[in-house]
Amino acid sequence: MKSQKQIAQLREYAKHLQNTSIIDLFSANQNRVSDFTFEAAGLFLDASKNRLDKQTLSSLLELANKCDIKQKIADLFSGVHVNVTEDRPALHVALRASSDNESWVPKNFIAEAGESKARLKILVDAIRSGEKCNDYGESFSDVVMIGVGGSNLGPKLVIEALREEETSAMNIHFLDHLDGEKFRDLVSSLSPHKTLFVVASKSFGTSETLRNYESARDWLKSTLSKETSLKNQFVAITANSAKANATGIEKENILRIPDWVGGRYSVWSAMGMPIALKYGYDVYVDFLSGAATVDSHFKTAPLERNLPVILGMVGIWNTNFLKSASLAIIPYEHRLSSLPMYLQQLEMESNGKSISLDGTTIDYHSAPVTWGASGTDAQHSFCQLLHQGTHQIPVDFILALKAAPGYEKHQDMLVANCLAQSRALMLGNERQNNIEDYKKLRGDRPSSLIYMDELNPKTLGALISLYEHKTFVQSAVWNINPFDQWGVELGKAFASSIIDDIDSETSCNQSDPSTTAILARYKALKTGRST
Ligand code: F6P
C-alpha cells in the first residue's frame, strides 16, 4: 500500500474508532444513513453500520487516490496489459460494452466480443428452435455444462438466480465435480440421445473437465446405437479451439472466448451460453447491460460516490485497519444461494496473493477469507459465531426487496430477519441491565447492506459487476495483480505426478512419507493386495 502518510492517519483513526460504538456514530451524525448510502444501476449500498465516520471514509478515498486508482481504472478499460504476469489485458468490460460506453474500450476488442456474441446467438437460437438437433432430428431436452471454477460458477449462479425468466423447457445441469458418483447420479436421469454436452474450459486443459468430458463420450458410446454419431451432441466453449477440435468437437460447434478474458470474469462471454439457452438471448443481453451500467458508473463517477470504490475501501478498512481476516456474504435471497461461492472464487482467486506488482513480498494483508451462505440457513448455523464469537467478521448482507408474487408474508419475514441480523450485530445487548454473561452480545460488529428493489437480469449483472470492480479497487490498493492465479498450479502438477504414480506398476515413489503411505494403501485397495 502506497502513501505512508495516509496509512498512518488511518491507523490513528482506527485506534480512536475501536473505542467508539457504531450506534454512537449514528447519534453524532443525524445524516449518517444518507451520508453512507450510495446508489448506482439500481443497487444501493448502505455502509452506515460499519465502524467508520466521514473523515475516515475521506481518508480511505484519499488512500485510493494515492494508489492511482483513477489511472488504474483507465488502464483497465483501455486495454493496457494489466495482467502483467501473463502479459495481456483483462477486458471483461469489453464483453458488455454498449454503444454508450464503447469509446472507452478499444474498438478491436469490442469487435471481437461482438463476433463471439453473434456466433453464440446463432448457435443458441438454433438449439432452442430445434434446428440444431440430434442425429434423429429430435431437439435436446437436457444440456449438461461440464466445467469448473470460472467455467461453472458464473453460469450456475445466473441460471439459479433468474428462474422467473424461463422461456425454454430445456433442463440445464452443471457437472463440475470430479467424483464419479456425481457423474453417475446426473446421467442416471438423462436420455442419452436427447442430451447436449457443453464442454466449457477456457484452456481446454483442465484435467477434471477433460475427465468428465471423456466419461460423457464413453457414456454416449455405450448407450446409443452404434450408428449414432456423437458430433451433434458436443459443443465446446474455449479459448483453445484447436485443442477442442483435436478431441473431436466439430469446428461449427466451438464457441471461442477471447484469451483476454479471465476465467472468473468469463460469464459475460460465450461461457454464458446456458443463460441464453434457458432464458433467451435478450435476457442474456439485459444481464450484460446491467453490468455495463456499473462499468460506466465505475469509470466516470467521482470516488466519493463510486459504488465499487466505496465497497472496496470499506473492505480495506475492515481488513487492514480493523484487522478482520474474513468476510461473510449472506444473501437474504434464495435465488442468490450460490453467490457466496461465486464471490469466493472472484475475491480469493483474484486477491489471495502476497507478492506485489513490484515483485516484493507485501507486509500487509490482502484478500480476507470470503465465505457465506444464504440468510435463513446462515442464521440457524454460523451466525452464532458472528454475534458472540471471538473473531470480528464483517458481513455483506444482500437483499432484493420485491416479494415473489403470492409470497408476500414470506418476504416480510425475510426482510425483517435480514435487518434484524445487521441490527443485532451492530447493537448487541450489553447495554441492557440484568443480563447473564453468557447471553451477552457485545455488538459493534460491522456489516454492509447491498439492496435492490428486485432481482432481475439487469440488477444481477450490476451486482456481479459491482463485486468485480470492488475486487479490482482492492487489488490496486494492495498493489497486486488480480488477474492471474499461479497459486493453483503447483497442486495441478503434483496431482499429475501422483496419477502417474497410481498408474505405474512399481511401488509409490512420492517424496513425502505421508503421501507415499496413503498412496500405498490406496493402490493396495485398488488391486486387492494387502499392505
Ligand atoms: O485452476 C484455476 C482455474 O484456472 C480458474 O482460474 C478457472 O476458472 C478454472 O481453473 C477453470 O479453468 P478452465 O476454464 O481453463 O478449464
Side-chain angles (χ1 to χ4, degrees):
M1 286 192 288
K2 292 182 180 156
S3 183
Q4 287 313 314
K5 184 174 156 233
Q6 217 58 44
I7 291 166
Q9 186 178 64
L10 282 161
R11 283 192 182 132
E12 278 307 305
Y13 292 163
K15 259 192 229 156
H16 167 69
L17 284 163
Q18 294 279 20
N19 301 316
T20 311
S21 75
I22 302 173
I23 197 65
D24 289 342
L25 295 172
F26 275 94
S27 313
N29 174 6
Q30 298 305 309
N31 299 323
R32 184 169 172 84
V33 177
S34 56
D35 284 350
F36 284 87
T37 299
F38 307 89
E39 182 191 351
L43 302 179
F44 298 84
L45 163 65
D46 177 354
S48 66
K49 291 194 184 90
N50 281 281
R51 197 192 270 261
L52 82 175
D53 56 13
K54 278 179 83 175
Q55 101 178 332
T56 310
L57 186 58
S58 310
S59 185
L60 284 164
L61 295 178
E62 191 46 31
L63 175 61
N65 200 25
K66 293 260 163 59
C67 294
D68 296 329
I69 188 67
K70 288 182 194 150
Q71 185 57 49
K72 290 192 171 184
I73 295 172
D75 290 349
L76 177 75
F77 279 78
S78 62
V80 169
H81 286 203
V82 288
N83 182 353
V84 286
T85 61
E86 293 170 331
D87 193 18
R88 57 189 177 206
L91 270 170
H92 37 289
V93 292
L95 296 167
R96 54 222 192 191
S98 69
S99 51
D100 302 337
N101 60 12
E102 65 187 19
S103 59
W104 300 329
V105 180
K107 288 226 170 350
N108 51 324
F109 292 104
I110 306 260
E112 197 180 338
E115 269 167 40
S116 157
K117 275 186 261 180
R119 287 217 50 223
L120 170 69
K121 182 172 182 342
I122 292 169
L123 187 65
V124 159
D125 286 349
I127 297 170
R128 277 168 64 94
S129 69
E131 184 196 324
K132 189 154 189 70
C133 53
N134 68 9
D135 246 25
Y136 311 98
E138 298 165 312
S139 50
F140 295 105
S141 60
D142 293 85
V143 175
V144 178
M145 185 164 183
I146 304 176
V148 292
S151 303
N152 162 262
L153 293 165
K156 183 167 179 284
L157 166 66
V158 181
I159 285 290
E160 289 172 3
L162 298 182
R163 275 180 208 134
E164 282 157 27
E165 307 292 333
E166 181 173 307
T167 51
S168 160
M170 229 177 306
N171 301 306
I172 310 281
H173 312 269
F174 293 94
L175 183 57
D176 54 344
H177 212 288
L178 190 51
D179 195 329
E181 295 200 20
K182 168 126 187 192
F183 186 91
R184 187 196 58 200
D185 291 349
L186 173 60
V187 298
S188 67
S189 62
L190 301 176
S191 305
H193 60 291
K194 298 204 79 181
T195 301
L196 176 71
F197 286 95
V198 177
V199 188
S201 175
K202 182 184 170 190
S203 59
F204 224 82
T206 302
S207 59
E208 297 92 318
T209 299
L210 296 181
R211 176 65 262 162
N212 277 322
Y213 168 34
E214 218 172 305
S215 292
R217 289 195 93 91
D218 292 346
W219 177 67
L220 289 181
K221 276 187 205 150
S222 67
T223 49
L224 294 173
S225 73
K226 287 216 167 46
E227 293 72 48
T228 313
S229 88
L230 300 189
K231 74 178 172 60
N232 291 323
Q233 293 197 242
F234 286 96
V235 166
I237 307 172
T238 185
N240 192 347
S241 309
K243 196 158 177 209
N245 188 231
T247 68
I249 300 185
E250 300 282 300
K251 278 196 179 133
E252 61 174 46
N253 287 350
I254 298 175
L255 293 174
R256 220 183 68 75
I257 64 165
D259 76 346
W260 40 260
V261 180
R264 55 192 170 275
Y265 302 87
S266 65
V267 65
W268 322 99
S269 72
M271 283 294 173
M273 181 190 180
I275 307 163
L277 267 180
K278 184 73 181 159
Y279 305 132
Y281 190 76
D282 291 349
V283 166
Y284 167 74
V285 170
D286 277 351
F287 170 63
L288 300 190
S289 80
T293 311
V294 171
D295 296 342
S296 165
H297 166 84
F298 183 48
K299 180 80 172 64
T300 56
L303 297 188
E304 55 279 10
R305 281 194 289 107
N306 196 309
L307 211 56
V309 172
I310 304 280
L311 188 62
M313 295 315 292
V314 169
I316 297 275
W317 172 246
N318 285 327
T319 302
N320 299 104
F321 297 96
L322 299 185
K323 308 290 178 208
S324 299
S326 150
L327 168 69
I329 307 285
I330 307 188
Y332 269 80
E333 170 62 65
H334 170 64
R335 290 171 294 169
L336 293 178
S337 299
S338 291
L339 185 68
M341 264 189 93
Y342 178 83
L343 294 182
Q344 222 160 38
Q345 187 198 21
L346 178 62
E347 302 217 354
M348 291 164 76
E349 200 173 63
S350 298
N351 285 338
K353 319 250 164 92
S354 32
I355 300 295
S356 76
L357 285 167
D358 314 318
T360 53
T361 303
I362 58 178
D363 58 2
Y364 41 83
H365 283 298
S366 55
V369 176
T370 303
W371 59 288
S374 85
T376 308
D377 298 335
Q379 79 188 52
H380 294 285
S381 62
F382 59 72
C383 281
Q384 160 65 35
L385 181 149
L386 299 182
H387 291 291
Q388 278 191 317
T390 52
H391 299 282
Q392 176 151 297
I393 300 176
V395 180
D396 281 2
F397 291 103
I398 321 272
L399 182 64
L401 296 175
K402 199 170 155 196
Y407 292 92
E408 287 74 14
K409 291 240 157 60
H410 285 250
Q411 188 67 6
D412 292 348
M413 286 177 70
L414 203 65
V415 171
N417 275 286
C418 177
L419 297 179
Q421 288 298 319
S422 65
R423 191 170 148 77
L425 284 170
M426 173 178 73
L427 283 181
N429 59 10
E430 264 196 347
R431 292 183 187 197
Q432 289 173 23
N433 295 326
N434 304 325
I435 191 156
E436 294 92 332
D437 283 349
Y438 62 87
K439 286 187 182 164
K440 280 186 182 155
L441 276 70
R442 263 197 311 112
D444 281 322
R445 300 191 169 209
S447 70
S448 299
L449 176 65
I450 294 160
Y451 60 102
M452 61 201 92
D453 284 348
E454 65 172 336
L455 182 66
N456 58 37
K458 288 191 179 177
T459 52
L460 179 64
L463 181 68
I464 299 177
S465 173
L466 165 64
Y467 272 97
E468 282 179 353
H469 293 317
K470 169 219 165 173
T471 304
F472 180 72
V473 168
Q474 295 190 331
S475 75
V477 176
W478 289 324
N479 196 30
I480 52 183
N481 175 8
F483 298 117
D484 61 10
Q485 57 284 319
W486 295 103
V488 298
E489 294 304 320
L490 185 60
K492 290 181 189 174
F494 281 164
S496 157
S497 86
I498 292 173
I499 286 169
D500 289 347
D501 213 339
I502 291 172
D503 287 343
S504 88
E505 293 288 312
T506 53
S507 63
C508 304
N509 195 22
Q510 293 298 319
S511 50
D512 76 273
S514 160
T515 306
T516 305
I518 295 163
L519 268 184
R521 187 171 181 87
Y522 177 70
K523 287 179 77 164
L525 205 67
K526 222 176 119 143
T527 54
R529 272 185 281 118
S530 58
T531 45

